[in-house]
Amino acid sequence: MVKKFVFFLGLLGLSLSSQAFTASGLGAGANMAVQLNIAFSADSVGAGLIAGAPYYCAQGSAVTASTACTNAGYLINTDALVQYTKDQASAGNIDNVVNVATDHVWIFAGAKDEVVNQSVGRKLYAYYQSLIDNHRINATFDQQANFAWITSSEGNPCWYYGTPYINNCQLDAAGLMLKSIYGTLQPAVTQNFANLYQFPQHEFVSNSSAGMDTFGWIYQPAYCIENACKVHVALHGCNQNYDTVGAVFIKNSGLNGWAEANNIVVIYPQVLPQSQVNTDGCWDWWGYTGPNYALKSGIQMAGIYNLTQSLGTITSFRPGQNLN
Ligand SMILES: *[C@@H]1O[C@H](CO)[C@@H](O)[C@H](O)[C@H]1NC(C)=O
Ligand SMILES: *[C@@H]1O[C@H](CO)[C@@H](O)[C@H](O)[C@H]1NC(C)=O
Ligand SMILES: *[C@@H]1O[C@H](CO)[C@@H](O)[C@H](O)[C@H]1NC(C)=O
Ligand SMILES: *[C@@H]1O[C@H](CO)[C@@H](O)[C@H](O)[C@H]1NC(C)=O
């Protein structure tokens, strides 16, 4: 388990430590990663975002989500979203935005993305530029990539659009984003499937209205069973959860090999499709769980944050199922 230096800090008279974390995702998963990065900025230190939109882009509207924030970036008013961010921070609904300024963010928007038009990713870039110095943001727009999690060797051709939304663009998004966020890292090694577990996610996401799966997945290098490690949250895209496509994203994101070599725990939270409100099993970035979906109190937000802070108390890991 990930141990925190709670006792040590206690001796120094400091308050209980919280666990720093980073997040990444594709599409709706990227949008959830942005939400976590912005709302929990006191603990979130960076994000890797593929085909994402700015924070609160949908403004609680499924229509805005599927228009401006998906295929018409020119309709997105970045300044208004930055202002919303600052207002929510002032109101105490999200952490102080000054925390965002010290983050590192890696942004990727494919030139051939047929789902989330690259114009949306450019607005995401503009949004972060208003909160973070340019040199802490790495934005990639020149790849002829369609909508997918991007890898150096796994998945469909780079231009392809289709399930399971993992494309081989001979570009290791996992490594590039983790190096952008954490700085120099040891080269990735082969992942060890024995370190890929399922854990009872429902115990950490108390509100069943969150629509999350009973089990989540976690890649935990052996070293991290007894020692403090970095924590990364990897958020699947729509129609990319375990229930729908199996462990393909969990196995093939490329993140696990970097995690193994660098003592990073990767949590793969899982959200389920729900009839009517969320038929594609997307993370909530438009409001189907409530109007506070992008704030710290949002039930998916609070649940995932809880996971990042509770790793040391997860005792009931089980070997990953159906890995082949
Ligand atoms: C993205 O939107 C622009 C402007 O509407 C359009 O010209 C371009 O073809 C779109 N990209 C893709 C891959 O559909
Ligand atoms: C930024 O990302 C690109 C690939 O997306 C990579 O080639 C480049 O080295 C990165 N730059 C930095 C400073 O991390
Ligand atoms: C966080 O996880 C604990 C179990 O470790 C659970 O008791 C609590 O209800 C969870 N909180 C939320 C907001 O889901
Ligand atoms: C669970 O979440 C729903 C939707 O946000 C909310 O209405 C309900 O009060 C929550 N239940 C509990 C026990 O917090």
Side-chain angles (χ1 to χ4, degrees):
M1 309 306 128
V2 175
K3 290 223 170 103
K4 298 168 217 167
F5 296 108
V6 172
F7 302 120
F8 179 66
L9 291 169
L11 287 175
L12 291 174
L14 302 175
S15 57
L16 285 187
S17 67
S18 54
Q19 171 70 57
F21 71 94
T22 60
S24 65
L26 164 68
N31 296 346
M32 180 52 93
V34 170
Q35 289 174 189
L36 291 166
N37 180 242
I38 297 295
F40 293 103
S41 61
D43 297 309
S44 173
V45 296
L49 309 166
I50 301 178
Y55 181 70
Y56 201 58
C57 188
Q59 300 167 74
S61 160
V63 172
T64 304
S66 63
T67 53
C69 306
T70 297
N71 52 35
Y74 65 91
L75 292 172
I76 299 171
N77 182 341
T78 309
D79 291 343
L81 299 176
V82 171
Q83 190 58 50
Y84 174 85
T85 309
K86 291 179 175 167
D87 291 347
Q88 292 305 319
S90 300
N93 294 326
I94 63 174
D95 290 342
N96 193 328
V97 284
V98 298
N99 295 300
V100 181
T102 52
D103 285 9
H104 289 278
V105 175
W106 189 85
I107 293 169
F108 182 99
K112 293 274 159 62
D113 194 319
E114 295 172 36
V115 177
V116 181
N117 191 279
Q118 190 183 74
S119 57
V120 176
R122 290 188 185 274
K123 287 295 175 79
L124 173 64
Y125 185 35
Y127 172 86
Y128 268 112
Q129 282 178 306
S130 66
L131 300 173
I132 305 181
D133 274 355
N134 249 325
H135 73 276
R136 305 179 80 93
I137 310 173
N138 186 332
T140 302
F141 298 116
D142 63 355
Q143 297 292 310
Q144 303 304 305
N146 210 325
F147 178 82
W149 181 272
I150 304 301
T151 76
S152 58
S153 60
E154 298 286 342
N156 294 313
C158 193
W159 50 265
Y160 185 84
Y161 170 63
T163 189
Y165 313 108
I166 294 181
N167 284 6
N168 175 4
C169 299
Q170 295 169 347
L171 187 116
D172 177 17
L176 289 165
M177 67 174 65
L178 291 175
K179 285 187 284 187
S180 282
I181 296 169
Y182 290 120
T184 308
L185 293 176
Q186 295 299 319
V189 295
T190 305
Q191 65 181 313
N192 179 354
F193 283 148
N195 294 337
L196 198 44
Y197 304 91
Q198 286 180 291
F199 69 92
Q201 181 176 258
H202 62 105
E203 290 177 14
F204 300 87
V205 185
S206 52
N207 192 326
S208 58
S209 305
M212 290 168 68
D213 207 344
T214 310
F215 285 90
W217 288 73
I218 190 163
Y219 190 86
Q220 182 179 252
Y223 173 87
C224 304
I225 295 172
E226 293 292 339
N227 299 282
C229 285
K230 298 180 176 74
V231 174
H232 182 77
V233 180
L235 296 149
H236 62 73
C238 303
N239 298 304
Q240 203 182 39
N241 58 324
Y242 176 66
D243 195 59
T244 305
V245 296
V248 62
F249 174 63
I250 295 157
K251 285 191 307 186
N252 297 338
S253 69
L255 291 164
N256 300 344
W258 289 95
E260 183 66 39
N262 294 282
N263 296 326
I264 301 168
V265 173
V266 185
I267 311 172
Y268 293 93
Q270 299 292 315
V271 69
L272 287 173
Q274 268 178 285
S275 63
Q276 318 259 321
V277 294
N278 180 27
T279 49
D280 292 336
C282 307
W283 293 103
D284 188 8
W285 63 282
W286 66 88
Y288 68 82
T289 62
N292 61 344
Y293 67 96
L295 306 177
K296 290 172 78 167
S297 59
I299 51 178
Q300 289 181 358
M301 296 282 285
I304 296 173
Y305 177 71
N306 204 22
L307 284 172
T308 67
Q309 305 302 306
S310 308
L311 287 179
T313 64
I314 302 178
T315 51
S316 41
F317 285 11
R318 67 178 195 189
Q321 313 289 306
N322 306 323
L323 276 170
N324 295 322

